[in-house]
Amino acid sequence: MNLIDVKSPADLKGLSISELTDLTAQARQALMTKVSEHGGHFGPPMGAAEMIMALHYVFNSPVDKIVYDVSHQSYVHKMVTGRALAFLDHDHYDDVTGYTDPTESDHDFFNIGHTSTSISLASGLATARNLKGDSENIIAIIGDGSLSGGEAFEGLDYAATLNSNMIIIVNDNDQSIAENHGGLYGGLRELRESNGESSNNIFKALGLDYRFVADGNDLETLIHVFKDVKDIDHPIVLHIVTQKGKGYAIAEQNKEAFHWTMPFNLETGKPEHVDNGPSYAGVIADYLMEQIKADPTVVAINAGTPGGFCFVSDWRKEAGKQYVDVGIAEEHAVAMSSGIAKNGGKPVFNVYSTFLQRTYDQLVQDLCVNNNSAVIINHMASVYGMNDVTHLGFFDIPMLTSIPNLVYLAPTNKEELLAMTAYAVHQNEHPVAIRVPVGEFVSTGVADMTDYSVLNKSEVTRRGEGIALLGLGNFYHPANQVADELAKEGINATVVNPKFASGIDEDLLEELKENHSVVFTLEDGVVEGGWGQRVASFYGPSAMRVKNYGIAKEFHDRYDASELLRENGVSVEQITADAKRMLQ
Amino acid sequence: MNLIDVKSPADLKGLSISELTDLTAQARQALMTKVSEHGGHFGPPMGAAEMIMALHYVFNSPVDKIVYDVSHQSYVHKMVTGRALAFLDHDHYDDVTGYTDPTESDHDFFNIGHTSTSISLASGLATARNLKGDSENIIAIIGDGSLSGGEAFEGLDYAATLNSNMIIIVNDNDQSIAENHGGLYGGLRELRESNGESSNNIFKALGLDYRFVADGNDLETLIHVFKDVKDIDHPIVLHIVTQKGKGYAIAEQNKEAFHWTMPFNLETGKPEHVDNGPSYAGVIADYLMEQIKADPTVVAINAGTPGGFCFVSDWRKEAGKQYVDVGIAEEHAVAMSSGIAKNGGKPVFNVYSTFLQRTYDQLVQDLCVNNNSAVIINHMASVYGMNDVTHLGFFDIPMLTSIPNLVYLAPTNKEELLAMTAYAVHQNEHPVAIRVPVGEFVSTGVADMTDYSVLNKSEVTRRGEGIALLGLGNFYHPANQVADELAKEGINATVVNPKFASGIDEDLLEELKENHSVVFTLEDGVVEGGWGQRVASFYGPSAMRVKNYGIAKEFHDRYDASELLRENGVSVEQITADAKRMLQ
């Protein structure tokens, strides 16, 4: 049978093992071709190919419900649930997202992109099934890497109390994005090495039934096990050992590089395009290494995603114990950072904006109530960041700037990024977060000598009159462009680099009243609850007219950033036109 | 030795066991007297009295560092670290907070009030100690109830990788606030029943050394164990069994009622004052019970704090499997609720605003990206809610209203609360959160027939001109009072009940422009990033003058609500005066 002809899992049911094996080989070939041409997650779906094929062979999706964790391993699931074309025909590659998506298929139950959620989500499906008196199988899949997230533990703890069917597949490839970190992984290793017999079994300790499956890339074994547990009347953990990147030797050897990849050459495994230009993440990583060498109490922390921060293998080795990967455990990372700062260390937690969301309460309680001087480097907080609906990074300003004590800085170029980071690392007064610029790399070549200990002090970089353009962080540049456009019309706009997202410069705002009647705020994120609305509130009782630019509060999936901004009225042309109109 | 003479832990060092026993008895007597007169946490500090006394006898605080979880068990710690007067002299009861507080004493390392944080915070202290090359003992205490929170698991998982001293005390009294829930607790029971020998040992499964202590209320045993592990060179879990409420028979028998208590009669254990009046929580509980009886798919969920929601023992029994306590696992509660809604159930998660903070990412990712129709009943989201700095509930509007798809409703009285809850439970369109009113119980006696499926529709309850007062939720009432005051001066203000915190009624705001020049917004929470600033932003480009009332972004501890509001210019007199001035 050809993969392209599989329209639904029903088409698999009558196949022989050898036919199914052949189909799995086709699926794996499709993965290699598509991801090497298009980019995407590679190691996870390659390793899970047999597991997913066997699940759909044995279970009856979508009546039986499979929930994937992160769902970056679900590509083969998509192939056998009517979406094979999107993996076989490059004109259709973008027909599907990189994650499960209920709008694509009834076989997908949730949009999922953050880790450690599958057990909780699936236990919700199971709880509803029980309330309704239904009897379908509920299956949650979770990787070993995702198990370090607290939400996964909470889910396991609850699932164990379900006196009913629930099948939790721990897909153990002994690898997170990078190597695993945490005591948990010693226990999993013991289980692998003892064929599941070790007494140090976290699943049994939580009261869960447990079964070990050594060869999770063997279809027959998997089918046998799944048939055995189908319609089981209580929760069980199937601990299934798979090989990440299985079937592509270079990925099997280079698990971290092939977790997610840009387009690459299938022969050599080398990326098609290498960008050796400077990056903001690189600037931070270089600075941190310098500080690590100068001060034994500086410690660079991350939660399972070192690659994006240029914490590559050699860097990690050089940093030694001054580099800490806590595993996928952002909450712990923030609380621990608070503790490190309290005891005289200099913690610098690097994190993606979308994952920092998981730490809201730790930021408030563990860090900011205690006002400890930990540093958070927030990457990809921008409309120009990751554009999957599950990885959006542009809610950070409303989230972070309503938390007392937290200083949130928004640099506009390399020199400000460096100066702000240096300030943050060396001060002992406040928790400080830094919104790493996203987009074109800008360097002025002139060191930034600003004293950032003077909070909420903005910089007027261009003095005009009539209209003031306040461009926060990344959006300082378009503010300047608008000013350039207005200058062509004889309008001499004031431009301000606010620098602080967590507060407003009330003295400056007051001063602007003297010879300005219009103030525009521009910010690279959601406008509701954002920075600009504080400016609008400040000027509310006055005659100043204020317009806040940013994007409206909405989820977007795989959007084009410029288009999205234009839809929200945020382009240089639109803002320029608004300015001319309002100044008339 | 008299407790009042203990000025620091050094004073304990030379005591005999019998003297220490006597001191512990004095501490327990002080707890009973103070809490019965003043109110506070009772079961936790009573059960931990010997443990804390023994810790300070053996270890050298504050060089050795003890971190308490929730820190509601730390009262005896406060007594022996120079703060005994606050427990012995009722004129000084309020000299200390109910939690650890670094501003009170060098023996306190963090302000802590949320659960499950101690291991992460302490592992931060340990990490910094290691970086600095110091060698003090780091001790984290955590209760069995708090272990169900994901942050505790993340902390354990990391602590296991510390190749250095760390002592984690699991204070196991077999009770959360209410009974424990989760598979974890079967494992802990097995450990208790097997004297620590059961092979189902979650701590060992995480790679931690482990030691069981059966009698955690015996000073000699504890001192012996603590001396044994002092200066240990690796992380160890001491699983210590204690009795919650130990020493006061009525509390030993009624663990839930005596976890935290209002002033009570020591003879009878009965509360000094019983409020039998109607409450908003009672209205919700009654409504839910009605719905539970009518529809088997309605399920009332909470995360370990049923009492405050009137989910008392009988109520729970009556609700049967339609009541779910997930343990202290708010993240799981939200994700599971999303799953329940997805599979056709009607989940209603009751939670305190301060603890809902822990679910920011689950709200965004698990719930709102998926737009499932789960219901969140948010209690104590108000300046008038809990006033400990660790339990503030007034950050909810900025937090919740920048999340797309989430409908956040702000009722002003019983009838609106009921109508909004009914709408939320019976619709299938959106995740809906409801901000339960706090303060005086208001009932109009007239059923609210509003169709809440028409989003962001506000109600004009008083039509005037010149000035419009938009009073969100709890602050609808002061808005009316301001209007009454203004009426005395011949000013006929418009009053609006916005009803929706998650959006603004743009049509109405537009309409107000016709015959109003001033708009005031009043909200019961932090003004920065709040609801009123959306109104200011809407009117920004226009001539309308807007003033946003609420409190400034700051932490406050044990504040007086009216005073705090007055300091922020939010009293009927101040607002009335502002209105008159701005209308001149």
Side-chain angles (χ1 to χ4, degrees):
Chain A
M1 174 164 210
N2 286 322
L3 184 57
I4 193 74
D5 297 323
V6 178
K7 298 304 175 200
S8 89
D11 295 330
L12 307 181
K13 305 295 181 189
L15 299 184
S16 68
I17 296 294
S18 88
E19 287 170 314
L20 208 61
T21 303
D22 176 61
L23 208 60
T24 309
Q26 291 179 52
R28 200 165 256 132
Q29 187 56 53
L31 283 175
M32 288 193 282
T33 306
K34 175 173 176 178
V35 178
S36 68
E37 291 177 7
H38 178 272
H41 282 97
F42 188 73
M46 290 288 280
E50 287 84 5
M51 181 194 300
I52 292 172
M53 206 60 93
L55 280 171
H56 280 294
Y57 186 74
V58 173
F59 292 96
N60 179 29
S61 175
V63 175
D64 293 331
K65 297 173 176 61
I66 307 170
V67 182
Y68 297 87
D69 201 82
V70 193
S71 75
H72 55 350
Q73 77 290 67
S74 66
Y75 297 177
V76 174
H77 163 86
K78 294 199 175 198
M79 292 180 197
V80 299
T81 53
R83 291 167 278 181
L85 189 66
F87 295 86
L88 293 165
D89 179 342
H90 66 85
D91 289 342
H92 289 271
Y93 281 171
D94 285 323
D95 288 2
V96 296
T97 71
Y99 305 93
T100 55
D101 182 350
T103 65
E104 274 179 18
S105 168
D106 287 345
H107 297 271
D108 294 8
F109 295 92
F110 303 96
N111 269 298
I112 299 179
H114 284 198
T115 68
S116 317
T117 71
S118 63
I119 303 171
S120 282
L121 291 168
S123 70
L125 298 178
T127 299
R129 174 202 60 195
N130 295 350
L131 291 170
K132 293 191 296 177
D134 293 342
S135 61
E136 74 267 21
N137 288 276
I138 304 290
I139 299 148
I141 299 178
I142 185 163
D144 52 316
S146 292
L147 276 182
S148 54
E151 189 176 349
F153 170 79
E154 293 184 2
L156 281 171
D157 190 39
Y158 175 78
T161 68
L162 278 171
N163 193 18
S164 61
N165 172 286
M166 175 142 172
I167 299 164
I168 299 165
I169 296 178
V170 173
N171 173 23
D172 184 359
N173 56 30
D174 191 21
Q175 177 87 1
S176 189
I177 296 175
E179 69 284 358
N180 278 315
H181 292 272
L184 168 65
Y185 297 102
L188 291 185
R189 187 180 61 242
E190 282 183 32
L191 287 168
R192 288 195 305 275
E193 290 174 354
S194 65
N195 204 33
E197 298 297 325
S198 163
S199 64
N200 290 328
N201 184 318
I202 187 171
F203 309 110
K204 287 189 179 177
L206 288 171
L208 287 152
D209 193 5
Y210 173 84
R211 182 161 171 176
F212 182 76
V213 182
D215 192 351
N217 291 109
D218 183 71
L219 268 176
E220 274 193 88
T221 302
L222 291 165
I223 289 167
H224 170 74
V225 171
F226 292 156
K227 283 185 170 167
D228 249 19
V229 299
K230 189 176 177 179
D231 300 324
I232 194 169
D233 66 356
H234 62 273
I236 187 169
V237 168
L238 301 181
H239 181 185
I240 299 181
V241 179
T242 63
Q243 183 170 23
K244 194 164 184 170
K246 174 80 176 179
Y248 182 65
I250 301 172
E252 291 173 10
Q253 299 307 313
N254 299 277
K255 290 179 181 175
E256 185 175 345
F258 281 88
H259 174 82
W260 184 92
T261 172
M262 297 291 283
F264 63 96
N265 182 306
L266 257 185
E267 300 281 311
T268 64
K270 301 284 179 209
E272 292 289 3
H273 309 286
V274 180
D275 180 5
N276 284 323
S279 73
Y280 291 117
V283 166
I284 299 269
D286 290 348
Y287 176 78
L288 286 179
M289 183 54 73
E290 197 181 278
Q291 296 304 306
I292 282 169
K293 287 180 178 167
D295 180 346
T297 71
V298 171
V299 53
I301 300 162
N302 88 104
T305 60
F309 313 138
C310 303
F311 299 161
V312 293
S313 181
D314 285 349
W315 192 100
R316 275 137 51 183
K317 217 167 289 166
E318 201 173 348
K321 69 175 182 179
Q322 290 174 260
Y323 167 76
V324 174
D325 182 342
V326 296
I328 298 175
E330 291 87 359
E331 300 181 61
H332 168 72
V334 168
M336 181 179 74
S337 294
S338 179
I340 291 173
K342 173 70 185 177
N343 203 10
K346 297 191 166 82
V348 184
F349 177 40
N350 281 264
V351 61
Y352 287 116
S353 178
T354 189
F355 302 139
L356 185 60
Q357 292 180 181
R358 198 156 272 185
T359 71
Y360 181 87
D361 191 54
Q362 288 72 32
L363 289 170
V364 175
Q365 293 285 324
D366 296 323
L367 185 57
C368 292
V369 163
N370 288 289
N371 203 28
N372 290 327
S373 56
V375 181
I376 293 160
I377 308 287
N378 198 18
H379 296 257
M380 291 290 166
S382 168
V383 175
Y384 291 99
M386 293 179 271
N387 70 356
D388 296 293
V389 68
T390 50
H391 288 72
L392 303 176
F394 53 62
F395 298 107
D396 60 310
I397 297 178
M399 180 178 107
L400 296 178
T401 64
S402 57
I403 301 175
N405 291 349
L406 184 65
V407 175
Y408 193 28
L409 290 159
T412 72
N413 57 45
K414 172 190 163 185
E415 287 74 15
E416 286 179 2
L417 176 63
L418 272 174
M420 289 173 177
T421 305
Y423 156 71
V425 171
H426 292 289
Q427 55 83 40
N428 297 302
E429 305 295 314
H430 315 283
V432 177
I434 295 173
R435 193 178 210 244
V436 179
V438 179
E440 204 190 337
F441 186 84
V442 179
S443 171
T444 61
V446 181
D448 175 14
M449 305 301 285
T450 309
D451 177 3
Y452 289 105
S453 72
V454 184
L455 299 186
N456 301 330
K457 185 104 193 74
S458 300
E459 186 183 354
V460 179
T461 57
R462 196 158 161 166
R463 284 204 178 265
E465 58 186 350
I467 182 167
L469 306 164
L470 283 47
L472 185 71
N474 294 324
F475 276 18
Y476 170 71
H477 305 298
N480 258 318
Q481 289 162 14
V482 170
D484 289 344
E485 290 303 309
L486 290 173
K488 292 177 190 165
E489 315 271 339
I491 298 168
N492 183 18
T494 292
V495 178
V496 175
N497 176 358
K499 300 197 169 187
F500 290 82
S502 45
I504 53 174
D505 186 341
E506 298 199 353
D507 292 341
L508 174 64
L509 296 186
E510 200 55 54
E511 188 191 313
L512 291 178
K513 284 180 179 172
E514 283 168 27
N515 56 349
H516 298 77
S517 61
V518 176
V519 165
F520 281 4
T521 67
L522 285 73
E523 69 198 287
D524 183 3
V526 165
V527 78
E528 280 131 312
W531 182 80
Q533 294 199 332
R534 276 120 168 121
V535 176
S537 180
F538 175 86
Y539 284 125
S542 78
M544 182 75 83
R545 285 178 301 153
V546 179
K547 199 159 155 51
N548 300 131
Y549 291 90
I551 57 169
K553 175 177 76 170
E554 251 185 85
F555 290 119
H556 301 276
D557 198 18
R558 301 188 302 162
Y559 62 86
D560 177 86
S562 304
E563 211 171 280
L564 176 63
L565 288 167
R566 195 176 305 275
E567 282 165 19
N568 282 275
V570 189
S571 69
V572 171
E573 305 77 53
Q574 289 165 304
I575 299 170
T576 305
D578 289 346
K580 292 197 307 203
R581 196 167 48 246
M582 283 181 69
L583 287 168
Q584 269 166 8
Chain B
M1 176 164 211
N2 286 320
L3 183 58
I4 193 74
D5 297 323
V6 178
K7 298 305 174 198
S8 90
D11 296 331
L12 308 181
K13 303 296 179 188
L15 300 183
S16 67
I17 296 295
S18 88
E19 287 169 314
L20 208 61
T21 304
D22 175 61
L23 208 60
T24 309
Q26 291 179 51
R28 200 165 256 135
Q29 186 57 52
L31 283 174
M32 289 194 280
T33 306
K34 175 172 177 179
V35 179
S36 68
E37 291 177 6
H38 178 272
H41 282 97
F42 188 72
M46 290 287 280
E50 286 84 6
M51 181 195 299
I52 291 172
M53 206 59 92
L55 280 170
H56 281 295
Y57 186 73
V58 173
F59 292 95
N60 179 28
S61 175
V63 174
D64 293 332
K65 297 175 175 60
I66 307 169
V67 181
Y68 296 87
D69 201 82
V70 193
S71 74
H72 55 351
Q73 77 290 68
S74 67
Y75 296 178
V76 174
H77 163 87
K78 294 199 175 197
M79 292 182 200
V80 299
T81 53
R83 290 167 279 180
L85 189 66
F87 295 85
L88 292 166
D89 179 343
H90 65 84
D91 289 342
H92 289 272
Y93 281 172
D94 285 323
D95 287 3
V96 295
T97 72
Y99 305 93
T100 56
D101 181 349
T103 64
E104 274 178 20
S105 168
D106 287 346
H107 297 271
D108 293 9
F109 295 91
F110 302 97
N111 269 297
I112 299 178
H114 284 198
T115 68
S116 316
T117 71
S118 63
I119 304 171
S120 283
L121 291 168
S123 70
L125 298 179
T127 299
R129 174 203 58 197
N130 296 350
L131 292 169
K132 293 191 297 177
D134 294 341
S135 60
E136 74 268 20
N137 288 277
I138 304 290
I139 300 147
I141 299 178
I142 186 164
D144 52 314
S146 293
L147 277 180
S148 54
E151 188 176 350
F153 170 79
E154 293 184 2
L156 281 171
D157 190 39
Y158 174 79
T161 68
L162 278 172
N163 193 19
S164 61
N165 171 286
M166 177 143 171
I167 299 163
I168 299 166
I169 296 177
V170 173
N171 172 23
D172 184 357
N173 56 30
D174 190 22
Q175 177 87 358
S176 190
I177 297 177
E179 68 283 359
N180 278 313
H181 292 272
L184 168 65
Y185 297 102
L188 290 186
R189 187 179 60 243
E190 283 183 32
L191 286 168
R192 287 195 306 273
E193 290 174 353
S194 64
N195 204 31
E197 298 298 323
S198 164
S199 65
N200 291 328
N201 184 320
I202 186 169
F203 310 109
K204 286 189 180 175
L206 289 170
L208 287 153
D209 193 4
Y210 173 83
R211 180 161 172 179
F212 182 77
V213 182
D215 191 351
N217 291 109
D218 182 72
L219 268 176
E220 274 194 88
T221 303
L222 291 165
I223 290 168
H224 171 73
V225 172
F226 293 156
K227 282 186 172 167
D228 247 22
V229 300
K230 187 176 178 179
D231 300 323
I232 195 169
D233 66 356
H234 62 273
I236 186 168
V237 167
L238 301 181
H239 180 184
I240 298 181
V241 179
T242 62
Q243 182 171 21
K244 195 167 183 170
K246 174 79 176 181
Y248 182 64
I250 301 171
E252 291 174 10
Q253 299 306 314
N254 299 277
K255 291 179 181 173
E256 184 175 347
F258 281 87
H259 175 80
W260 184 92
T261 171
M262 297 290 284
F264 62 97
N265 182 308
L266 259 184
E267 298 283 310
T268 63
K270 302 285 180 209
E272 293 290 1
H273 309 285
V274 179
D275 181 4
N276 282 322
S279 73
Y280 291 117
V283 166
I284 299 268
D286 290 347
Y287 176 77
L288 287 178
M289 183 53 72
E290 196 183 278
Q291 297 303 306
I292 281 169
K293 287 180 176 166
D295 181 345
T297 71
V298 171
V299 52
I301 299 162
N302 88 105
T305 59
F309 312 138
C310 304
F311 298 162
V312 292
S313 182
D314 284 350
W315 192 100
R316 275 135 57 181
K317 217 167 288 166
E318 199 172 350
K321 70 176 183 179
Q322 288 174 263
Y323 167 76
V324 174
D325 181 344
V326 297
I328 298 174
E330 291 87 359
E331 300 180 59
H332 168 72
V334 167
M336 180 178 76
S337 294
S338 179
I340 291 173
K342 174 71 184 176
N343 203 12
K346 297 192 166 81
V348 184
F349 176 39
N350 281 265
V351 61
Y352 287 115
S353 178
T354 189
F355 302 139
L356 185 60
Q357 292 180 181
R358 198 156 271 184
T359 70
Y360 181 87
D361 191 54
Q362 287 72 31
L363 289 170
V364 176
Q365 293 285 323
D366 296 323
L367 184 57
C368 292
V369 162
N370 288 289
N371 204 28
N372 290 328
S373 56
V375 181
I376 292 160
I377 309 287
N378 198 18
H379 296 257
M380 291 289 164
S382 167
V383 175
Y384 292 99
M386 291 179 272
N387 71 355
D388 295 293
V389 67
T390 51
H391 287 72
L392 304 175
F394 52 62
F395 299 107
D396 60 310
I397 296 177
M399 180 179 108
L400 295 178
T401 64
S402 56
I403 302 176
N405 291 349
L406 183 65
V407 175
Y408 193 27
L409 290 159
T412 71
N413 57 44
K414 172 190 163 185
E415 287 73 16
E416 287 179 3
L417 176 63
L418 271 174
M420 290 173 177
T421 306
Y423 156 72
V425 170
H426 293 289
Q427 55 84 40
N428 296 304
E429 305 296 313
H430 317 282
V432 178
I434 294 173
R435 193 178 210 244
V436 178
V438 179
E440 205 190 337
F441 186 83
V442 179
S443 170
T444 61
V446 181
D448 175 15
M449 306 301 285
T450 309
D451 177 4
Y452 289 105
S453 72
V454 183
L455 298 185
N456 301 330
K457 186 103 190 76
S458 300
E459 186 185 354
V460 180
T461 56
R462 197 157 161 165
R463 282 202 180 269
E465 58 185 350
I467 182 167
L469 305 165
L470 283 47
L472 185 71
N474 294 324
F475 277 18
Y476 170 69
H477 306 299
N480 257 317
Q481 289 162 13
V482 171
D484 288 342
E485 290 303 310
L486 291 173
K488 292 177 189 163
E489 317 269 338
I491 299 167
N492 183 18
T494 292
V495 178
V496 175
N497 177 357
K499 298 195 170 189
F500 290 82
S502 47
I504 53 174
D505 186 341
E506 297 197 354
D507 292 341
L508 174 65
L509 296 186
E510 199 56 56
E511 189 192 312
L512 291 178
K513 283 180 181 172
E514 284 168 27
N515 56 350
H516 298 79
S517 61
V518 177
V519 166
F520 282 4
T521 67
L522 286 71
E523 70 198 287
D524 183 4
V526 165
V527 77
E528 280 132 310
W531 182 80
Q533 294 198 334
R534 276 115 166 125
V535 176
S537 180
F538 175 85
Y539 284 125
S542 78
M544 183 75 83
R545 285 179 300 153
V546 179
K547 198 157 156 53
N548 300 131
Y549 292 90
I551 57 169
K553 175 176 76 168
E554 250 185 89
F555 290 119
H556 302 277
D557 197 18
R558 301 187 302 161
Y559 61 85
D560 177 86
S562 304
E563 211 171 280
L564 176 62
L565 289 168
R566 195 176 304 274
E567 282 165 18
N568 281 275
V570 190
S571 68
V572 172
E573 304 77 53
Q574 289 165 306
I575 300 170
T576 305
D578 289 347
K580 292 195 309 200
R581 198 168 44 244
M582 284 181 68
L583 287 167
Q584 268 166 9

